[in-house]
Amino acid sequence: MNIKAFSEISGIPYRSVQNYLRNEREPNVEALIKLKETMNIDINWLLTGEGKMYRSLPNDELEAKEQALINHYRMMSNDTQTAFDVSFKALSEMQK
């Protein structure tokens, strides 16, 4: 994922992400919360490097393949997401 896509998905300004990657600035609390909410990243892992990178969902842990699908979806443009949603719905209805 490039910086622009990461910035768009996470809601963290492009310039801030660049500064984090260059070790010129540390993420603030707001940025950490955005990462937790949009990327499902465990804040403890970000701060300490301990534990799992991704938070588990209540009663259901995503497999790597499912997480990759979600990450790809989040990188799509809005128009592509809409087309994907329509196609997925049609495929799902065919299974019934």
Side-chain angles (χ1 to χ4, degrees):
M1 179 182 313
N2 64 32
I3 296 172
K4 183 180 180 202
F6 182 85
S7 174
E8 290 172 0
I9 291 168
S10 67
I12 298 171
Y14 181 88
R15 205 49 133 165
S16 294
V17 175
Q18 282 185 318
N19 289 335
Y20 302 154
L21 294 172
R22 293 180 184 151
N23 289 322
E24 294 175 0
R25 184 174 161 198
E26 294 290 325
N28 61 20
V29 172
E30 288 178 20
L32 293 174
I33 291 170
K34 286 180 182 180
L35 289 173
K36 177 183 91 86
E37 292 174 350
T38 60
M39 308 291 277
N40 199 37
I41 295 176
D42 185 276
I43 292 177
N44 185 55
W45 177 84
L46 278 173
L47 296 173
T48 67
E50 296 175 4
K52 293 183 179 182
M53 179 178 180
Y54 295 103
R55 295 179 304 130
S56 53
L57 300 175
N59 303 324
D60 189 22
E61 187 144 349
L62 294 176
E63 293 182 9
K65 187 175 181 180
E66 293 167 321
Q67 187 62 52
L69 182 61
I70 291 168
N71 290 340
H72 289 302
Y73 181 85
R74 288 177 175 167
M75 288 188 290
M76 295 175 184
S77 69
N78 288 339
D79 291 340
T80 305
Q81 284 182 356
T82 301
F84 182 87
D85 294 344
V86 170
S87 299
F88 187 78
K89 182 178 180 183
L91 288 170
S92 296
E93 289 175 0
M94 289 174 50
Q95 297 295 317
K96 293 179 181 178

Short mmCIF file of all heavy atoms in Angstrom, two decimals, residues 33-93:
data_model
loop_
_atom_site.label_atom_id
_atom_site.label_comp_id
_atom_site.label_asym_id
_atom_site.label_seq_id
_atom_site.Cartn_x
_atom_site.Cartn_y
_atom_site.Cartn_z
N ILE A 33 -6.02 6.27 17.29
CA ILE A 33 -7.43 5.86 17.30
C ILE A 33 -7.93 5.62 15.88
O ILE A 33 -8.65 4.65 15.63
CB ILE A 33 -8.29 6.91 18.04
CG1 ILE A 33 -7.95 6.87 19.53
CG2 ILE A 33 -9.78 6.67 17.81
CD1 ILE A 33 -8.55 8.01 20.34
N LYS A 34 -7.54 6.47 14.93
CA LYS A 34 -7.93 6.26 13.53
C LYS A 34 -7.39 4.93 13.01
O LYS A 34 -8.09 4.21 12.29
CB LYS A 34 -7.44 7.41 12.66
CG LYS A 34 -8.24 8.68 12.85
CD LYS A 34 -7.72 9.79 11.97
CE LYS A 34 -8.50 11.07 12.20
NZ LYS A 34 -8.03 12.16 11.36
N LEU A 35 -6.15 4.61 13.35
CA LEU A 35 -5.58 3.33 12.93
C LEU A 35 -6.35 2.16 13.53
O LEU A 35 -6.61 1.17 12.86
CB LEU A 35 -4.11 3.24 13.32
CG LEU A 35 -3.18 4.13 12.52
CD1 LEU A 35 -1.77 4.10 13.11
CD2 LEU A 35 -3.15 3.73 11.06
N LYS A 36 -6.72 2.30 14.78
CA LYS A 36 -7.49 1.24 15.45
C LYS A 36 -8.84 1.07 14.76
O LYS A 36 -9.25 -0.05 14.47
CB LYS A 36 -7.69 1.60 16.92
CG LYS A 36 -8.55 0.60 17.69
CD LYS A 36 -8.76 1.04 19.12
CE LYS A 36 -9.93 1.84 19.32
NZ LYS A 36 -11.20 1.70 19.54
N GLU A 37 -9.51 2.16 14.48
CA GLU A 37 -10.86 2.09 13.93
C GLU A 37 -10.91 1.73 12.45
O GLU A 37 -11.78 0.99 12.03
CB GLU A 37 -11.59 3.41 14.18
CG GLU A 37 -11.86 3.65 15.65
CD GLU A 37 -12.46 5.02 15.93
OE1 GLU A 37 -12.50 5.88 15.02
OE2 GLU A 37 -12.88 5.23 17.09
N THR A 38 -10.01 2.27 11.65
CA THR A 38 -10.09 2.05 10.20
C THR A 38 -9.29 0.85 9.72
O THR A 38 -9.64 0.24 8.72
CB THR A 38 -9.61 3.29 9.42
OG1 THR A 38 -8.25 3.58 9.75
CG2 THR A 38 -10.49 4.49 9.72
N MET A 39 -8.22 0.53 10.42
CA MET A 39 -7.35 -0.56 9.97
C MET A 39 -7.42 -1.78 10.89
O MET A 39 -6.75 -2.77 10.63
CB MET A 39 -5.90 -0.06 9.88
CG MET A 39 -5.71 1.19 9.07
SD MET A 39 -5.98 0.96 7.33
CE MET A 39 -4.41 0.31 6.85
N ASN A 40 -8.17 -1.65 11.98
CA ASN A 40 -8.32 -2.75 12.94
C ASN A 40 -6.98 -3.14 13.58
O ASN A 40 -6.75 -4.29 13.92
CB ASN A 40 -9.00 -3.96 12.30
CG ASN A 40 -9.57 -4.90 13.32
OD1 ASN A 40 -10.09 -4.48 14.34
ND2 ASN A 40 -9.47 -6.18 13.05
N ILE A 41 -6.08 -2.16 13.70
CA ILE A 41 -4.76 -2.42 14.26
C ILE A 41 -4.80 -2.25 15.77
O ILE A 41 -5.39 -1.30 16.29
CB ILE A 41 -3.70 -1.49 13.63
CG1 ILE A 41 -3.57 -1.82 12.15
CG2 ILE A 41 -2.36 -1.62 14.33
CD1 ILE A 41 -2.63 -0.93 11.39
N ASP A 42 -4.18 -3.16 16.47
CA ASP A 42 -4.13 -3.12 17.93
C ASP A 42 -3.15 -2.04 18.37
O ASP A 42 -1.99 -2.04 17.98
CB ASP A 42 -3.70 -4.49 18.45
CG ASP A 42 -3.75 -4.55 19.96
OD1 ASP A 42 -2.77 -4.12 20.59
OD2 ASP A 42 -4.76 -5.04 20.49
N ILE A 43 -3.64 -1.10 19.17
CA ILE A 43 -2.79 0.01 19.62
C ILE A 43 -1.62 -0.50 20.47
O ILE A 43 -0.50 0.01 20.36
CB ILE A 43 -3.62 1.06 20.39
CG1 ILE A 43 -4.57 1.77 19.43
CG2 ILE A 43 -2.72 2.08 21.07
CD1 ILE A 43 -5.49 2.77 20.07
N ASN A 44 -1.84 -1.51 21.28
CA ASN A 44 -0.76 -2.08 22.08
C ASN A 44 0.37 -2.57 21.17
O ASN A 44 1.55 -2.36 21.45
CB ASN A 44 -1.27 -3.22 22.96
CG ASN A 44 -0.20 -3.74 23.88
OD1 ASN A 44 0.41 -2.99 24.62
ND2 ASN A 44 0.04 -5.05 23.81
N TRP A 45 0.02 -3.21 20.06
CA TRP A 45 1.03 -3.69 19.12
C TRP A 45 1.81 -2.51 18.53
O TRP A 45 3.03 -2.57 18.40
CB TRP A 45 0.37 -4.50 18.00
CG TRP A 45 1.35 -4.96 16.97
CD1 TRP A 45 2.14 -6.06 17.03
CD2 TRP A 45 1.68 -4.30 15.75
NE1 TRP A 45 2.94 -6.13 15.91
CE2 TRP A 45 2.66 -5.06 15.11
CE3 TRP A 45 1.22 -3.14 15.13
CZ2 TRP A 45 3.20 -4.70 13.88
CZ3 TRP A 45 1.76 -2.77 13.90
CH2 TRP A 45 2.74 -3.56 13.31
N LEU A 46 1.08 -1.43 18.19
CA LEU A 46 1.76 -0.25 17.64
C LEU A 46 2.76 0.35 18.62
O LEU A 46 3.84 0.76 18.25
CB LEU A 46 0.74 0.83 17.26
CG LEU A 46 0.05 0.69 15.93
CD1 LEU A 46 -1.04 1.74 15.79
CD2 LEU A 46 1.03 0.79 14.79
N LEU A 47 2.36 0.42 19.88
CA LEU A 47 3.19 1.07 20.88
C LEU A 47 4.34 0.21 21.39
O LEU A 47 5.42 0.71 21.68
CB LEU A 47 2.33 1.52 22.07
CG LEU A 47 1.28 2.58 21.76
CD1 LEU A 47 0.39 2.81 22.97
CD2 LEU A 47 1.93 3.88 21.31
N THR A 48 4.09 -1.10 21.51
CA THR A 48 5.10 -1.97 22.13
C THR A 48 5.67 -3.03 21.21
O THR A 48 6.71 -3.61 21.51
CB THR A 48 4.48 -2.70 23.34
OG1 THR A 48 3.48 -3.61 22.87
CG2 THR A 48 3.89 -1.71 24.34
N GLY A 49 4.96 -3.31 20.12
CA GLY A 49 5.39 -4.39 19.23
C GLY A 49 5.01 -5.76 19.77
O GLY A 49 5.38 -6.78 19.21
N GLU A 50 4.25 -5.79 20.85
CA GLU A 50 3.85 -7.05 21.47
C GLU A 50 2.42 -7.42 21.09
O GLU A 50 1.59 -6.56 20.87
CB GLU A 50 3.95 -6.94 23.00
CG GLU A 50 5.36 -6.72 23.49
CD GLU A 50 5.43 -6.48 24.98
OE1 GLU A 50 4.38 -6.57 25.66
OE2 GLU A 50 6.53 -6.20 25.46
N GLY A 51 2.17 -8.71 21.03
CA GLY A 51 0.83 -9.20 20.72
C GLY A 51 0.60 -9.27 19.23
O GLY A 51 1.53 -9.24 18.42
N LYS A 52 -0.67 -9.34 18.87
CA LYS A 52 -1.04 -9.45 17.46
C LYS A 52 -1.21 -8.06 16.86
O LYS A 52 -1.64 -7.13 17.53
CB LYS A 52 -2.37 -10.21 17.32
CG LYS A 52 -2.26 -11.66 17.71
CD LYS A 52 -3.58 -12.36 17.49
CE LYS A 52 -3.47 -13.83 17.88
NZ LYS A 52 -4.74 -14.53 17.62
N MET A 53 -0.88 -7.94 15.56
CA MET A 53 -0.99 -6.67 14.88
C MET A 53 -2.46 -6.23 14.77
O MET A 53 -2.78 -5.06 14.97
CB MET A 53 -0.39 -6.76 13.48
CG MET A 53 -0.48 -5.50 12.68
SD MET A 53 0.32 -5.75 11.08
CE MET A 53 0.10 -4.16 10.35
N TYR A 54 -3.32 -7.18 14.45
CA TYR A 54 -4.74 -6.84 14.27
C TYR A 54 -5.55 -7.26 15.48
O TYR A 54 -5.32 -8.31 16.06
CB TYR A 54 -5.30 -7.51 13.01
CG TYR A 54 -4.67 -6.99 11.75
CD1 TYR A 54 -3.71 -7.74 11.08
CD2 TYR A 54 -5.02 -5.75 11.25
CE1 TYR A 54 -3.12 -7.25 9.93
CE2 TYR A 54 -4.43 -5.25 10.10
CZ TYR A 54 -3.48 -6.00 9.44
OH TYR A 54 -2.90 -5.52 8.31
N ARG A 55 -6.52 -6.41 15.83
CA ARG A 55 -7.43 -6.74 16.92
C ARG A 55 -8.37 -7.83 16.44
O ARG A 55 -8.77 -7.85 15.29
CB ARG A 55 -8.27 -5.52 17.31
CG ARG A 55 -7.46 -4.38 17.88
CD ARG A 55 -8.31 -3.17 18.23
NE ARG A 55 -9.06 -2.70 17.07
CZ ARG A 55 -10.37 -2.45 17.09
NH1 ARG A 55 -11.07 -2.60 18.17
NH2 ARG A 55 -10.98 -2.02 16.02
N SER A 56 -8.73 -8.73 17.32
CA SER A 56 -9.71 -9.74 16.94
C SER A 56 -11.10 -9.17 17.13
O SER A 56 -11.33 -8.30 17.96
CB SER A 56 -9.53 -11.02 17.76
OG SER A 56 -9.53 -10.73 19.12
N LEU A 57 -12.00 -9.65 16.31
CA LEU A 57 -13.38 -9.21 16.39
C LEU A 57 -14.12 -10.06 17.40
O LEU A 57 -13.81 -11.24 17.57
CB LEU A 57 -14.05 -9.32 15.02
CG LEU A 57 -13.40 -8.49 13.92
CD1 LEU A 57 -14.07 -8.77 12.58
CD2 LEU A 57 -13.51 -7.01 14.24
N PRO A 58 -15.11 -9.49 18.07
CA PRO A 58 -15.86 -10.28 19.04
C PRO A 58 -16.45 -11.54 18.40
O PRO A 58 -17.09 -11.47 17.37
CB PRO A 58 -16.97 -9.33 19.49
CG PRO A 58 -16.56 -7.98 19.05
CD PRO A 58 -15.60 -8.16 17.91
N ASN A 59 -16.19 -12.67 19.02
CA ASN A 59 -16.74 -13.96 18.60
C ASN A 59 -16.35 -14.41 17.20
O ASN A 59 -16.91 -15.35 16.68
CB ASN A 59 -18.27 -13.97 18.72
CG ASN A 59 -18.73 -13.65 20.11
OD1 ASN A 59 -18.11 -14.04 21.09
ND2 ASN A 59 -19.81 -12.92 20.22
N ASP A 60 -15.45 -13.70 16.55
CA ASP A 60 -15.12 -14.07 15.18
C ASP A 60 -13.79 -13.45 14.77
O ASP A 60 -13.70 -12.25 14.64
CB ASP A 60 -16.22 -13.59 14.24
CG ASP A 60 -16.06 -14.13 12.83
OD1 ASP A 60 -15.40 -15.15 12.65
OD2 ASP A 60 -16.60 -13.50 11.92
N GLU A 61 -12.80 -14.25 14.57
CA GLU A 61 -11.50 -13.75 14.17
C GLU A 61 -11.34 -13.92 12.66
O GLU A 61 -11.63 -14.98 12.12
CB GLU A 61 -10.39 -14.50 14.90
CG GLU A 61 -9.04 -13.92 14.63
CD GLU A 61 -8.14 -13.98 15.84
OE1 GLU A 61 -8.62 -14.29 16.93
OE2 GLU A 61 -6.96 -13.73 15.67
N LEU A 62 -10.93 -12.85 12.00
CA LEU A 62 -10.75 -12.92 10.56
C LEU A 62 -9.51 -13.71 10.21
O LEU A 62 -8.47 -13.56 10.83
CB LEU A 62 -10.61 -11.51 9.98
CG LEU A 62 -11.82 -10.60 10.07
CD1 LEU A 62 -11.47 -9.22 9.53
CD2 LEU A 62 -12.99 -11.17 9.30
N GLU A 63 -9.62 -14.51 9.18
CA GLU A 63 -8.46 -15.21 8.66
C GLU A 63 -7.67 -14.24 7.79
O GLU A 63 -8.19 -13.20 7.36
CB GLU A 63 -8.90 -16.41 7.84
CG GLU A 63 -9.57 -17.48 8.66
CD GLU A 63 -9.97 -18.69 7.83
OE1 GLU A 63 -9.60 -18.78 6.65
OE2 GLU A 63 -10.67 -19.52 8.39
N ALA A 64 -6.43 -14.55 7.50
CA ALA A 64 -5.56 -13.68 6.72
C ALA A 64 -6.18 -13.37 5.36
O ALA A 64 -6.11 -12.23 4.88
CB ALA A 64 -4.19 -14.31 6.56
N LYS A 65 -6.79 -14.36 4.74
CA LYS A 65 -7.41 -14.17 3.42
C LYS A 65 -8.55 -13.16 3.49
O LYS A 65 -8.70 -12.30 2.62
CB LYS A 65 -7.92 -15.52 2.91
CG LYS A 65 -8.43 -15.52 1.51
CD LYS A 65 -8.80 -16.94 1.09
CE LYS A 65 -9.29 -17.00 -0.32
NZ LYS A 65 -9.65 -18.36 -0.73
N GLU A 66 -9.36 -13.25 4.56
CA GLU A 66 -10.47 -12.31 4.74
C GLU A 66 -9.95 -10.90 5.01
O GLU A 66 -10.47 -9.93 4.47
CB GLU A 66 -11.35 -12.77 5.90
CG GLU A 66 -12.08 -14.07 5.62
CD GLU A 66 -12.70 -14.68 6.87
OE1 GLU A 66 -12.08 -14.61 7.95
OE2 GLU A 66 -13.82 -15.20 6.75
N GLN A 67 -8.91 -10.79 5.82
CA GLN A 67 -8.33 -9.48 6.12
C GLN A 67 -7.74 -8.86 4.85
O GLN A 67 -7.88 -7.66 4.62
CB GLN A 67 -7.26 -9.59 7.20
CG GLN A 67 -6.74 -8.25 7.68
CD GLN A 67 -7.81 -7.39 8.32
OE1 GLN A 67 -8.51 -7.84 9.21
NE2 GLN A 67 -7.96 -6.17 7.87
N ALA A 68 -7.09 -9.67 4.01
CA ALA A 68 -6.53 -9.17 2.76
C ALA A 68 -7.64 -8.63 1.85
O ALA A 68 -7.48 -7.58 1.22
CB ALA A 68 -5.74 -10.27 2.05
N LEU A 69 -8.77 -9.34 1.80
CA LEU A 69 -9.91 -8.90 1.00
C LEU A 69 -10.42 -7.55 1.49
O LEU A 69 -10.69 -6.65 0.70
CB LEU A 69 -11.02 -9.95 1.04
CG LEU A 69 -12.27 -9.66 0.23
CD1 LEU A 69 -11.94 -9.55 -1.25
CD2 LEU A 69 -13.30 -10.76 0.45
N ILE A 70 -10.53 -7.40 2.79
CA ILE A 70 -10.98 -6.13 3.37
C ILE A 70 -9.98 -5.01 3.04
O ILE A 70 -10.38 -3.90 2.66
CB ILE A 70 -11.18 -6.26 4.89
CG1 ILE A 70 -12.38 -7.17 5.18
CG2 ILE A 70 -11.35 -4.89 5.56
CD1 ILE A 70 -12.51 -7.60 6.62
N ASN A 71 -8.71 -5.29 3.16
CA ASN A 71 -7.69 -4.27 2.87
C ASN A 71 -7.75 -3.85 1.40
O ASN A 71 -7.64 -2.66 1.10
CB ASN A 71 -6.30 -4.78 3.23
CG ASN A 71 -6.10 -4.90 4.72
OD1 ASN A 71 -6.81 -4.29 5.51
ND2 ASN A 71 -5.14 -5.69 5.12
N HIS A 72 -7.92 -4.81 0.49
CA HIS A 72 -8.05 -4.47 -0.93
C HIS A 72 -9.29 -3.62 -1.17
O HIS A 72 -9.25 -2.65 -1.92
CB HIS A 72 -8.11 -5.74 -1.79
CG HIS A 72 -6.83 -6.48 -1.87
ND1 HIS A 72 -5.66 -5.92 -2.34
CD2 HIS A 72 -6.52 -7.74 -1.54
CE1 HIS A 72 -4.69 -6.81 -2.29
NE2 HIS A 72 -5.19 -7.93 -1.80
N TYR A 73 -10.39 -3.99 -0.54
CA TYR A 73 -11.64 -3.23 -0.69
C TYR A 73 -11.45 -1.79 -0.23
O TYR A 73 -11.88 -0.85 -0.89
CB TYR A 73 -12.75 -3.91 0.12
CG TYR A 73 -14.09 -3.23 0.02
CD1 TYR A 73 -14.95 -3.49 -1.03
CD2 TYR A 73 -14.49 -2.31 0.99
CE1 TYR A 73 -16.19 -2.86 -1.11
CE2 TYR A 73 -15.72 -1.68 0.92
CZ TYR A 73 -16.56 -1.95 -0.15
OH TYR A 73 -17.77 -1.33 -0.23
N ARG A 74 -10.78 -1.60 0.89
CA ARG A 74 -10.57 -0.25 1.42
C ARG A 74 -9.69 0.60 0.52
O ARG A 74 -9.77 1.83 0.55
CB ARG A 74 -9.94 -0.33 2.81
CG ARG A 74 -10.91 -0.82 3.87
CD ARG A 74 -10.24 -0.96 5.20
NE ARG A 74 -11.20 -1.33 6.24
CZ ARG A 74 -10.85 -1.74 7.44
NH1 ARG A 74 -9.57 -1.82 7.78
NH2 ARG A 74 -11.77 -2.07 8.31
N MET A 75 -8.85 -0.01 -0.29
CA MET A 75 -7.98 0.74 -1.20
C MET A 75 -8.68 1.13 -2.50
O MET A 75 -8.18 1.95 -3.26
CB MET A 75 -6.72 -0.07 -1.51
CG MET A 75 -5.77 -0.16 -0.34
SD MET A 75 -4.20 -0.91 -0.76
CE MET A 75 -4.67 -2.61 -1.02
N MET A 76 -9.85 0.54 -2.77
CA MET A 76 -10.58 0.83 -4.00
C MET A 76 -11.18 2.24 -3.94
O MET A 76 -11.50 2.75 -2.88
CB MET A 76 -11.74 -0.15 -4.18
CG MET A 76 -11.35 -1.57 -4.39
SD MET A 76 -12.86 -2.59 -4.43
CE MET A 76 -12.14 -4.21 -4.56
N SER A 77 -11.36 2.83 -5.14
CA SER A 77 -12.08 4.10 -5.20
C SER A 77 -13.54 3.86 -4.84
O SER A 77 -14.01 2.71 -4.85
CB SER A 77 -11.99 4.68 -6.62
OG SER A 77 -12.75 3.87 -7.51
N ASN A 78 -14.26 4.92 -4.56
CA ASN A 78 -15.68 4.79 -4.20
C ASN A 78 -16.48 4.13 -5.33
O ASN A 78 -17.35 3.30 -5.07
CB ASN A 78 -16.29 6.15 -3.84
CG ASN A 78 -15.80 6.65 -2.50
OD1 ASN A 78 -15.34 5.88 -1.66
ND2 ASN A 78 -15.89 7.95 -2.29
N ASP A 79 -16.19 4.52 -6.56
CA ASP A 79 -16.90 3.93 -7.70
C ASP A 79 -16.61 2.43 -7.82
O ASP A 79 -17.52 1.63 -8.08
CB ASP A 79 -16.50 4.62 -9.00
CG ASP A 79 -17.02 6.04 -9.08
OD1 ASP A 79 -17.97 6.38 -8.34
OD2 ASP A 79 -16.49 6.81 -9.90
N THR A 80 -15.37 2.05 -7.61
CA THR A 80 -15.01 0.64 -7.68
C THR A 80 -15.65 -0.14 -6.53
O THR A 80 -16.12 -1.26 -6.72
CB THR A 80 -13.48 0.46 -7.66
OG1 THR A 80 -12.91 1.25 -8.72
CG2 THR A 80 -13.08 -0.99 -7.84
N GLN A 81 -15.70 0.46 -5.34
CA GLN A 81 -16.37 -0.20 -4.22
C GLN A 81 -17.85 -0.42 -4.52
O GLN A 81 -18.39 -1.48 -4.22
CB GLN A 81 -16.22 0.64 -2.94
CG GLN A 81 -14.86 0.55 -2.31
CD GLN A 81 -14.77 1.35 -1.02
OE1 GLN A 81 -15.71 2.04 -0.63
NE2 GLN A 81 -13.63 1.28 -0.37
N THR A 82 -18.48 0.57 -5.13
CA THR A 82 -19.90 0.44 -5.49
C THR A 82 -20.09 -0.70 -6.48
O THR A 82 -21.00 -1.52 -6.32
CB THR A 82 -20.44 1.76 -6.07
OG1 THR A 82 -20.28 2.79 -5.08
CG2 THR A 82 -21.90 1.64 -6.45
N ALA A 83 -19.23 -0.75 -7.50
CA ALA A 83 -19.33 -1.83 -8.49
C ALA A 83 -19.09 -3.18 -7.82
O ALA A 83 -19.78 -4.16 -8.12
CB ALA A 83 -18.30 -1.61 -9.60
N PHE A 84 -18.14 -3.25 -6.91
CA PHE A 84 -17.86 -4.48 -6.18
C PHE A 84 -19.08 -4.89 -5.34
O PHE A 84 -19.46 -6.06 -5.33
CB PHE A 84 -16.64 -4.28 -5.27
CG PHE A 84 -16.25 -5.51 -4.51
CD1 PHE A 84 -15.39 -6.45 -5.06
CD2 PHE A 84 -16.74 -5.74 -3.25
CE1 PHE A 84 -15.04 -7.59 -4.36
CE2 PHE A 84 -16.39 -6.87 -2.53
CZ PHE A 84 -15.54 -7.80 -3.09
N ASP A 85 -19.68 -3.92 -4.65
CA ASP A 85 -20.86 -4.20 -3.82
C ASP A 85 -21.99 -4.80 -4.65
O ASP A 85 -22.62 -5.79 -4.23
CB ASP A 85 -21.36 -2.93 -3.12
CG ASP A 85 -20.37 -2.38 -2.11
OD1 ASP A 85 -19.45 -3.10 -1.70
OD2 ASP A 85 -20.55 -1.21 -1.72
N VAL A 86 -22.26 -4.20 -5.82
CA VAL A 86 -23.33 -4.69 -6.69
C VAL A 86 -23.02 -6.10 -7.17
O VAL A 86 -23.87 -6.99 -7.14
CB VAL A 86 -23.53 -3.72 -7.88
CG1 VAL A 86 -24.46 -4.32 -8.93
CG2 VAL A 86 -24.06 -2.38 -7.39
N SER A 87 -21.77 -6.32 -7.59
CA SER A 87 -21.37 -7.64 -8.08
C SER A 87 -21.43 -8.68 -6.97
O SER A 87 -21.93 -9.81 -7.17
CB SER A 87 -19.94 -7.60 -8.64
OG SER A 87 -19.86 -6.70 -9.72
N PHE A 88 -20.97 -8.33 -5.79
CA PHE A 88 -20.98 -9.26 -4.66
C PHE A 88 -22.41 -9.62 -4.27
O PHE A 88 -22.72 -10.78 -4.00
CB PHE A 88 -20.24 -8.66 -3.48
CG PHE A 88 -20.06 -9.62 -2.34
CD1 PHE A 88 -19.08 -10.61 -2.39
CD2 PHE A 88 -20.86 -9.55 -1.23
CE1 PHE A 88 -18.91 -11.49 -1.36
CE2 PHE A 88 -20.71 -10.44 -0.18
CZ PHE A 88 -19.73 -11.41 -0.25
N LYS A 89 -23.29 -8.62 -4.27
CA LYS A 89 -24.69 -8.88 -3.94
C LYS A 89 -25.32 -9.83 -4.95
O LYS A 89 -26.02 -10.76 -4.59
CB LYS A 89 -25.47 -7.57 -3.89
CG LYS A 89 -26.92 -7.74 -3.50
CD LYS A 89 -27.66 -6.42 -3.41
CE LYS A 89 -29.10 -6.66 -3.02
NZ LYS A 89 -29.87 -5.43 -3.00
N ALA A 90 -25.03 -9.61 -6.24
CA ALA A 90 -25.57 -10.48 -7.29
C ALA A 90 -25.05 -11.91 -7.13
O ALA A 90 -25.81 -12.88 -7.24
CB ALA A 90 -25.23 -9.93 -8.67
N LEU A 91 -23.77 -12.05 -6.85
CA LEU A 91 -23.20 -13.38 -6.65
C LEU A 91 -23.79 -14.07 -5.43
O LEU A 91 -24.06 -15.27 -5.44
CB LEU A 91 -21.68 -13.28 -6.52
CG LEU A 91 -20.91 -12.96 -7.79
CD1 LEU A 91 -19.46 -12.64 -7.46
CD2 LEU A 91 -21.01 -14.10 -8.78
N SER A 92 -24.00 -13.30 -4.37
CA SER A 92 -24.58 -13.85 -3.14
C SER A 92 -26.00 -14.35 -3.37
O SER A 92 -26.40 -15.39 -2.85
CB SER A 92 -24.59 -12.81 -2.02
OG SER A 92 -23.27 -12.45 -1.69
N GLU A 93 -26.77 -13.59 -4.15
CA GLU A 93 -28.14 -13.99 -4.43
C GLU A 93 -28.21 -15.24 -5.30
O GLU A 93 -29.14 -16.02 -5.20
CB GLU A 93 -28.90 -12.81 -5.07
CG GLU A 93 -29.16 -11.71 -4.06
CD GLU A 93 -29.80 -10.48 -4.67
OE1 GLU A 93 -30.05 -10.46 -5.91
OE2 GLU A 93 -30.03 -9.52 -3.93
#
